[in-house]
């Protein structure tokens, strides 16, 4: 019996030595898969939101590399549609149901119904013809005023204000929009959103945070103040955000994103690391 137990112990040790490497490889792959899934989920969410951003509103701050903080900001769109550029004969807006430019106006009706109209809230902003920073009369980040291309909504739009053809009515405080959109487009934005990357060379420490609910600033805040924060990823070791506007027929921009994650292997000083790259095409047609 003693001899049998000794032989069984020797055989068990031999089998364990053969199984150790495959088992260790399985756990290594499993840990890296979890890191990859976390990075992929964060990048996919960022891409989805960027593709629905206000045209020409994406901007980047920070060195974006070498372990330094990096910030990616844009204006979030709730709804969009086309406004009437010529009177349609309706009575939904007093005097004129078209959107007037160069002089004060407070009401217009849309060409057809507005998709996602039910998402619009009081306090959102109506924006017309946004070209972004560098264009004083067409920059939604600039301070709101008589010559601004954005105005706050103090009342919810009226769906189906004109039954046939189906048109919605938007009302807002008396405002002078300076420039018309060539395609008669308007956007309703809820406000700015910032993705803040705080990388750390220490595994498991760095973070990727989403900021929202703060005021629109002419200069990009880094980081935003008074925002609502959502943690998207931990263990961030590096980030890269770059934005190139007007790369395709002057109507599209490209955001390149890289996100590196890591965590310490249990019972070891070694860390697992993954880095994913993604590219988001954003519409800049105002």
């Amino acid at each position: 019996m003693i001899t049998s137990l000794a032989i069984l112990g020797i055989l068990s040790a031999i089998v364990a030595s053969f199984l150790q490497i495959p088992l260790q490889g399985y756990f290594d792959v499993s840990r890296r898969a979890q890191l990859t899934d976390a990075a992929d989920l964060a990048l996919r969410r960022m891409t989805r939101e960027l593709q629905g951003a206000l045209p020409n509103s994406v901007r980047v701050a920070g060195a974006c590399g070498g372990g330094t903080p990096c910030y990616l900001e844009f204006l979030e769109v709730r709804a969009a549609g086309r406004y009437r550029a010529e009177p349609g004969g309706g009575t939904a807006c007093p005097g004129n149901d078209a959107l007037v430019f160069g002089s004060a106006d407070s009401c217009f009706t849309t060409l057809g119904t507005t998709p996602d109209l039910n998402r619009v809230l009081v306090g959102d902003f109506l924006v017309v013809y946004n070209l972004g920073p560098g264009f004083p009369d067409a920059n939604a980040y600039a301070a709101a005023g008589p010559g601004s291309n954005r105005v706050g909504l103090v009342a919810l739009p009226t769906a189906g204000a004109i039954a046939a053809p189906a048109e919605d009515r938007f009302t807002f405080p008396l405002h002078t929009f300076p420039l018309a959109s060539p395609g008669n487009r308007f956007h309703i934005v809820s406000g700015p959103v910032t993705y803040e990357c705080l990388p750390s060379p220490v595994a498991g420490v760095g973070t990727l945070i989403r900021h929202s609910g703060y005021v629109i600033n002419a200069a990009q805040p880094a980081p935003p103040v008074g925002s609502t924060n959502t943690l998207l990823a931990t263990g961030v070791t590096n980030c890269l955000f770059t934005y190139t506007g007007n790369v395709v027929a002057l109507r599209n921009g490209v955001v390149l994103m890289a996100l590196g994650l890591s965590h310490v292997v249990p019972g070891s000083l070694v860390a697992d690391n993954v880095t994913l790259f993604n590219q988001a095409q954003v519409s800049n047609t105002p």
Side-chain angles (χ1 to χ4, degrees), residues 204-232:
V205 175
T207 56
L208 177 64
I209 301 172
R210 182 185 187 273
H211 297 267
S212 62
Y214 60 96
V215 298
I216 298 176
N217 296 274
Q220 184 174 358
V225 178
S227 62
T228 300
N229 304 336
T230 303
L231 181 64
L232 291 185

Side-chain angles (χ1 to χ4, degrees), residues 175-253:
H175 184 78
T176 301
F177 283 99
L179 301 173
S181 165
N184 300 343
R185 296 181 179 88
F186 70 89
H187 295 83
I188 306 298
V189 301
S190 60
V193 171
T194 290
Y195 283 99
E196 178 186 22
C197 178
L198 298 172
S200 172
V202 181
V205 175
T207 56
L208 177 64
I209 301 172
R210 182 185 187 273
H211 297 267
S212 62
Y214 60 96
V215 298
I216 298 176
N217 296 274
Q220 184 174 358
V225 178
S227 62
T228 300
N229 304 336
T230 303
L231 181 64
L232 291 185
T234 58
V236 178
T237 54
N238 64 83
C239 283
L240 175 64
F241 300 146
T242 63
Y243 170 64
T244 304
N246 300 329
V247 295
V248 180
L250 302 179
R251 285 296 180 265
N252 291 280

Side-chain angles (χ1 to χ4, degrees), residues 7 9 24 42 49 58 81 90 97 102 105 120 127 143 154 159 162 194 204 230 244 257 272-273:
I7 295 174
Q24 185 62 46
E49 290 199 317
V58 177
D97 52 4
D105 197 0
V120 177
V127 178
V154 295
I162 299 178
T194 290
T230 303
T244 304
M257 299 169 287
D272 285 327
N273 297 274

Side-chain angles (χ1 to χ4, degrees), residues 47-62:
T47 299
R48 183 175 66 251
E49 290 199 317
L50 282 167
Q51 289 174 339
L54 178 70
N56 301 296
S57 70
V58 177
R59 54 186 184 177
V60 175

Side-chain angles (χ1 to χ4, degrees), residues 26 38 46 67 70 74 76 84 104 110-111 113-114 123 125 156 170 175 179 183 188 205 215 223 263 270 283:
Y26 168 79
M46 295 172 67
C70 190
F74 58 91
E76 183 179 38
R84 274 197 171 275
T110 63
L111 289 171
T113 57
T114 307
F125 297 93
L156 291 176
F170 283 81
H175 184 78
L179 301 173
I188 306 298
V205 175
V215 298
H263 63 63
V270 179
S283 173

Side-chain angles (χ1 to χ4, degrees), residues 85-164:
E86 299 292 339
T91 59
C93 292
N96 189 352
D97 52 4
L99 181 58
V100 177
F101 292 87
S103 59
D105 197 0
S106 62
C107 180
F108 71 87
T109 59
T110 63
L111 289 171
T113 57
T114 307
D116 298 320
L117 188 65
N118 60 324
R119 299 181 59 209
V120 177
L121 302 175
V122 172
D124 289 344
F125 297 93
L126 170 66
V127 178
V128 178
Y129 197 54
N130 188 62
L131 298 179
F135 298 89
D137 295 333
N139 179 18
Y141 284 115
S148 171
N149 70 335
R150 70 176 169 95
V151 63
L153 296 178
V154 295
L156 291 176
T158 303
I162 299 178

